[in-house]
Amino acid sequence: MNRLIVSRTFRIGERLLGCHARHAGQEELRLQQRRSIKTHCRHLAYAKDLFLGQVNKAEVFPYPEIGNDEVEEIKQLVAPVEKFFSDDVDSAKIDREATIPLETLQGLKDLGLFGIMIPEEYGGLGLSHTIYARLNEIIALDGSIAVTLAAHQAIGLKGILIAGNEAQKKKYLPKLASGEHIAAFCLTEPGSGSDAASIQTRATLSEDGKHYLINGSKIWISNGGMADIMTVFARTEVEVDGVKKDKISAFIVERAFGGIASGKPEDKLGIRGSNTCELSFDNVPVPVENVIGEIGGGFKIAMNILNSGRFSMGSSCAGMIKKLIELTSEYAATRKQFNKSLSEFGMIQEKFAMMALNAFVMESMAYLTAGMMDRPGVPDCSLEAAMVKVFSSEGGWICVSEALQVLGGLGYTKNYPFERFVRDCRILPIFEGTNEILRMYITLTGMQYAGKILTGKIKEMKKGNIGLAIGMVSKKLRTSLGASVDLGLTGKDGVVHPSLETIVDEQLVLKRVADVLIHMYAMTAVLSRASRSISIGLRNHDHEVLLANTFCNDAFFKNNYWMVQLQKHSPENNDANIKKIAKQVLENRAYICSHPLERTY
Amino acid sequence: MSGRVLVGVKRVIDYAVKIRVKPDNTGVVTDGVKHSMNPFCEIAVEEAVKLKEKKLIKEVVAVSCGPQQSQETIRTALAMGADRGIHVDVSGKDYENLGPLQVSKILAALAKQEDAQLILLGKQAIDDDCNQTGQMTAALLDWPQGTFASEVSLEGDKINLVREIDGGLEHIKINTPAVITADLRLNTPRYATLPNIMKAKKKKIVTVKPADLGVDVTSRLEVLKVEEPPQRQAGRV
C-alpha cells in the first residue's frame, strides 16, 4: 500500500508538475515501481531534509565564504558597474520611451555584462554564481536592463551552457558573451504558461533527416524582438521501446534560419524597456546539429535552466531595497509634519525596519544558495532557489509599496522613481515560474523525498524492525512540529495515511507547508550569516544579530500558526469555507450577494 | 627616451559620499566608507593610456602611496590600461600624516629609478585639495611642469600644452622629461570594463617601502583640529 501511495503521488505529482520526472518517460517509471522506488542520483542540497525534520547543519553552517582574492575581485568588478548605472543609465527615460537606448546597451556589452557566467575560453567572464548574484544587486537598479540581461544569459543561452555540446558552445557562446548576438528563451505559448509540458509547437524531421522544421507560436518572449539566437522548445516524435511518443526537445534556432516573425512589443505595466513579444515559427529549418542534449530530453533541460536562474532574484531584490532605504530615509529625515520629522513616527519607523529585515533575509538566502551552488559537484539547489524566488518576489513587492507610502503623494508621481519601482516589481511574482507553481514545486518535491525515506522506514517495519521504524517516524513528525500534533497524516502504526494520495489537489494545505518551509530556510540563512558575522567580527554585527532575532521570532510564530491551521479539524482553518465561497462565486462568475439595500417586503 | 610614463593615483573617499567628521575632531570618518580613485587621477591615467594607444609612449606605470588598500586603486588603473603598478607601502600614523611633500619626494625617487620620461598626475586630490604634488615633484627633479592641462600633445621631444587658468587658456611648449597635472576637461576617463579587470589580474604590482627609496616620510605638519564647516543659514531674497 505504501508503494502505491508514494507511486500514485509520484505520478499525479508528475502530471501536475510535468517536469520533475528524473527519468525520460513515464513507462520507465512504472516499470521501476514494480520493482522498487529507485533513489535517483540527483543530489538535492539542504532543504529536502527539512521535510523530515532534519537540519543538515553541515550544509549551511558556516555561511559560505569566498577567498580574499575573490573579495578583492568583487570590489573591482562592482565599481565600474555601479558607476555606469549611476552616471549613464537614465531609468526614467527608458521607462518613458519603453526602450533601452543603443548607447546604453552598448555600454553594457562593453562592460562585459552579457557573458558574466560564460567560461573565459568562450569569451565570457567565467564568474561564479556568487559574483553573478553580487553584480545583480547593482543591475537590478534598472528593472528593464535587469530583465533584458537575465533573459539573455540566465535563461536564453543557459541551455547551450549547461547542456550543449562542445561544437555548439564554440559556435555560439563567443558572440553571445560579447553581446554581438542576443539570446532569448522560447517556451511559453498562448495555451501553455505554467503548464509548460503541454506546449504545441512542433518540430518535424525533414525527409533527408538533416533538418527539423519548427512550426508554432510563442508568447511573452523577453528579448523576442531583438534576439538573434533562441532556445526554442518544441514537440518531436520519438520512439521509445518501439512506441512512437511525443516528447519535448530543445533547439538552438538562429533568426537567420528564416521563417521567424516577431510581433509588436507588448505594452507592459512595468519593465517597459525590456522587449517582450510574440514569436511565430513558420517552417523554420533547424539543422539536427542544433538539438540541445538529446531529442526528447528538452523538458528536463528547460526545468534545469529555469531552476538555475532563480536564485539571483534574492540579491536583485535586496540591492533594490537597499537603494530604496537610502532614498526613502533621506525624505523621512527631512520632511516634517506636526513639528516632527517623519522618522520619529512609529508607523514610519516600522516600514524602515521591515525594509531592512527583508533586505537582510533576501541577501542571506541568496548568497547562501549561491554559495551552495558554487560548491564542487554542482549540487541541485532548485528547491532552495525556488524558496529564494518566492520570498524575494513577495517581500520585494511589499517593501517597494511601503517605500512609496512613506513619500505619500510625492511617491505616487512620476517625479520620483518609486512608482516605477512598484510597476517594475509587479512582474516578480509572475515570471520565472509563478509563485503559486513554485510553492507546489517546493512542497511536492520535498514530500516526494520524505515519502521515499518514510517508505524505506516502513519497509523496515515490514521486515520486523517495528519499534525502530515507529520510533523514527513518530519522533521525526513530533520533533519537526515541536509537539505531538495530529495532522491526520498518521494512522495506526505510524503508517503514512492514504489521504496523501490526494494531497496534490489540496493546494491550500500545500501552500501553508511551502510557506513554513520557505520561512525555515530563511531562518537558517539569517542564523548562519549572523553567526559568521559575530565569529569574524564584521562591522555592525550586533545589528545583524538584532535583525536575525527579530525575523526568526516573527517567522517562528507565523510557522506555528500555519502548522496549527494544518491540524485536522482546526478551528483556525477556514479552508473548507473558502472553497465553498470560491465555488459559489465562480459558478456564477460574479459576486452573488443580494445588494444590502434590497427589500423583500 | 625610455618611453615610460609614471602615473600617480590616489585612493580617496568617493566623491558621492557624505563626509562626516570624527567625534574627536582629529579627522574624517574613513572606516567602512566607500573609497575610489581620485577623479583627476582617473583623467591622468586615461591620458597616459591614450598616449600609449597612439604609440607615442611605450609603458604606463601606475603608482600609489598608501596602505594595502591602495592596491585596489592601482588595479583600477591596470584595468584601464596601465601595464604594471608600484605600491609604495605607507600605513598607520605615517599614512595619516602623508602629504604632498613626502609623496613628491617618493615620486621623484621613482622617476629616477624607473627612468621615466613623463609623470602624469591629477591636478589635486578631492580630499585635501592641496594642488601641490605635481609642482613639488617637478621642482625636486628640476623638470619643467605643465599644470591644469586641458590639452596635451607630444611633438618630438617637446610637449605642447594648453593650460586652464583664471584668465583663460594658456598655450605653452615644454621640454621632456616633464611633469603634467590633469585638469577636468583633458579627457573623459573610460570605464574599466569587466573583461579588462579580469585581464588586469595578470599584471604585476610591486610593493616597496619609502625607506627603500631613501625617502623620510615624517611630516613637518601637525593637524590640530578638524571640524565641519558652519551650517548654512537661510538666505534672504
Side-chain angles (χ1 to χ4, degrees), chain A residues 17 51 113 162 170 186 272 286 304 321 361 534 558 560:
Chain A
L17 302 173
F51 283 85
L113 293 175
I162 60 178
K170 269 216 186 78
C186 305
R272 291 172 57 75
V286 178
N304 284 340
I321 295 179
V361 176
I534 305 173
K558 282 195 184 131
N560 277 333

Side-chain angles (χ1 to χ4, degrees), chain A residues 72-73 75-88 109-113 116 120 125-127 135 330 539, chain B residues 15 18 31-34 42 69 71-76 79 189-202:
Chain A
E72 283 305 307
E73 197 176 76
K75 274 200 212 141
Q76 289 273 303
L77 296 171
V78 157
V81 181
E82 268 177 350
K83 188 153 178 241
F84 183 75
F85 272 81
S86 77
D87 295 348
D88 287 333
K109 292 178 190 174
D110 291 337
L111 274 174
L113 293 175
I116 299 176
E120 282 186 82
L125 296 177
L127 296 173
L135 289 172
E330 193 55 51
R539 217 161 36 88
Chain B
Y15 76 92
K18 194 157 186 279
D31 200 29
V33 170
K34 183 168 180 221
E42 280 181 358
Q69 294 93 316
Q71 291 204 7
E72 288 167 22
T73 316
I74 300 178
R75 289 242 169 262
T76 308
R190 66 193 62 191
Y191 283 109
T193 66
L194 304 196
N196 284 343
I197 294 174
M198 307 286 289
K199 283 192 207 122
K201 280 197 289 192
K202 302 191 185 94

Side-chain angles (χ1 to χ4, degrees), chain A residues 118 121-124 168-181:
Chain A
I118 297 181
E121 68 216 71
Y122 302 110
Q168 290 164 338
K169 287 184 187 173
K170 269 216 186 78
K171 181 170 182 197
Y172 290 109
L173 288 181
K175 291 216 173 112
L176 288 167
S178 70
E180 194 181 326
H181 284 163

Side-chain angles (χ1 to χ4, degrees), chain A residues 262-314:
Chain A
S262 355
K264 71 168 176 47
E266 300 283 348
D267 192 11
K268 304 186 294 291
L269 170 70
I271 54 167
R272 291 172 57 75
S274 155
N275 173 277
T276 316
C277 67
E278 271 189 46
L279 283 178
S280 68
F281 297 87
D282 186 7
N283 277 326
V284 180
V286 178
V288 292
E289 301 81 54
N290 278 24
V291 173
I292 304 180
E294 282 177 16
I295 278 288
F299 203 68
K300 197 165 152 202
I301 294 174
M303 290 308 120
N304 284 340
I305 294 173
L306 291 170
N307 286 340
S308 67
R310 282 192 187 115
F311 72 98
S312 64
M313 200 178 283

Side-chain angles (χ1 to χ4, degrees), chain A residues 123-415:
Chain A
L125 296 177
L127 296 173
S128 61
H129 292 92
T130 308
I131 303 191
Y132 179 69
R134 178 64 185 89
L135 289 172
N136 263 306
E137 278 190 42
I138 312 164
I139 299 174
L141 294 176
D142 184 297
S144 305
I145 294 181
V147 169
T148 304
L149 287 176
H152 167 81
Q153 60 190 322
I155 51 175
L157 55 84
K158 244 327 162 58
I160 306 175
L161 205 53
I162 60 178
N165 58 40
E166 192 56 41
Q168 290 164 338
K169 287 184 187 173
K170 269 216 186 78
K171 181 170 182 197
Y172 290 109
L173 288 181
K175 291 216 173 112
L176 288 167
S178 70
E180 194 181 326
H181 284 163
I182 298 186
F185 182 81
C186 305
L187 176 62
T188 308
E189 293 178 9
S192 312
S194 288
D195 188 5
S198 68
I199 57 171
Q200 292 301 304
T201 301
R202 188 154 274 287
T204 33
L205 194 55
S206 62
E207 293 282 315
D208 58 7
K210 292 213 179 116
H211 284 93
Y212 277 94
L213 294 172
I214 296 190
N215 278 288
S217 61
K218 301 283 184 189
I219 59 167
W220 308 133
I221 306 301
S222 293
N223 297 348
M226 52 193 204
D228 308 284
I229 311 287
M230 295 161 244
T231 305
V232 181
F233 294 87
R235 300 205 96 85
T236 46
E237 213 178 58
V238 282
E239 243 186 63
V240 178
D241 293 336
V243 183
K244 283 207 204 281
K245 300 241 119 236
D246 248 4
K247 303 213 109 338
I248 297 174
S249 307
F251 300 89
I252 307 174
V253 178
E254 295 178 38
R255 191 181 288 270
F257 290 161
I260 303 177
S262 355
K264 71 168 176 47
E266 300 283 348
D267 192 11
K268 304 186 294 291
L269 170 70
I271 54 167
R272 291 172 57 75
S274 155
N275 173 277
T276 316
C277 67
E278 271 189 46
L279 283 178
S280 68
F281 297 87
D282 186 7
N283 277 326
V284 180
V286 178
V288 292
E289 301 81 54
N290 278 24
V291 173
I292 304 180
E294 282 177 16
I295 278 288
F299 203 68
K300 197 165 152 202
I301 294 174
M303 290 308 120
N304 284 340
I305 294 173
L306 291 170
N307 286 340
S308 67
R310 282 192 187 115
F311 72 98
S312 64
M313 200 178 283
S315 59
S316 304
C317 284
M320 183 192 64
I321 295 179
K322 288 192 273 191
K323 184 79 190 176
L324 284 174
I325 293 179
E326 274 173 31
L327 295 173
T328 322
S329 53
E330 193 55 51
Y331 181 78
T334 47
R335 166 77 171 172
K336 279 186 145 69
Q337 283 288 270
F338 306 109
N339 248 317
K340 289 205 262 180
S341 70
L342 289 192
S343 51
E344 296 179 58
F345 294 108
M347 285 198 254
I348 301 293
Q349 290 168 344
E350 189 184 17
K351 295 181 205 296
F352 283 97
M354 188 198 58
M355 286 195 268
L357 280 165
N358 267 293
F360 184 67
V361 176
M362 288 176 199
E363 266 183 342
S364 311
M365 282 172 92
Y367 288 106
L368 178 60
T369 313
M372 282 202 269
M373 289 171 85
D374 281 337
R375 286 200 192 130
V378 198
D380 184 343
C381 299
S382 48
L383 260 190
E384 290 78 1
M387 292 179 183
V388 172
K389 195 265 184 188
V390 173
F391 188 90
S392 308
S393 52
E394 290 173 9
W397 172 240
I398 296 174
C399 285
V400 125
S401 189
E402 291 294 288
L404 192 156
Q405 182 77 5
V406 173
L407 264 83
L410 280 179
Y412 202 63
T413 66
K414 287 205 185 250
N415 302 328

Side-chain angles (χ1 to χ4, degrees), chain B residues 3-137:
Chain B
R4 187 169 296 129
V5 173
L6 229 55
V7 183
V9 294
K10 187 177 180 189
R11 179 175 181 263
V12 299
I13 294 180
D14 188 81
Y15 76 92
V17 168
K18 194 157 186 279
I19 308 288
R20 285 187 339 229
V21 175
K22 284 203 276 211
D24 59 4
N25 291 104
T26 54
V28 298
V29 177
T30 53
D31 200 29
V33 170
K34 183 168 180 221
H35 283 66
S36 44
M37 191 191 288
N38 182 37
F40 294 107
C41 298
E42 280 181 358
I43 298 176
V45 173
E46 174 65 23
E47 196 59 25
V49 174
K50 271 207 172 80
L51 288 173
K52 190 176 107 172
E53 284 170 350
K54 287 188 211 157
K55 304 223 193 307
L56 295 168
I57 55 144
K58 294 211 200 76
E59 194 187 23
V60 177
V61 183
V63 180
S64 192
C65 306
Q68 179 68 17
Q69 294 93 316
S70 295
Q71 291 204 7
E72 288 167 22
T73 316
I74 300 178
R75 289 242 169 262
T76 308
L78 294 174
M80 286 172 73
D83 298 294
R84 58 185 169 90
I86 300 177
H87 168 221
V88 182
D89 192 6
V90 180
S91 32
K93 263 266 163 260
D94 282 338
Y95 177 59
E96 282 170 40
N97 295 327
L98 195 67
L101 184 57
Q102 300 101 307
V103 173
S104 52
K105 286 183 188 167
I106 292 173
L107 288 176
L110 279 173
K112 291 202 194 107
Q113 182 186 288
E114 298 287 330
D115 188 23
Q117 176 187 344
L118 193 57
I119 298 181
L120 268 166
L121 304 172
K123 72 171 179 182
Q124 66 199 58
I126 60 172
D127 52 5
D128 55 19
D129 280 337
C130 285
N131 191 338
Q132 296 168 359
T133 309
Q135 293 87 333
M136 285 180 175
T137 311

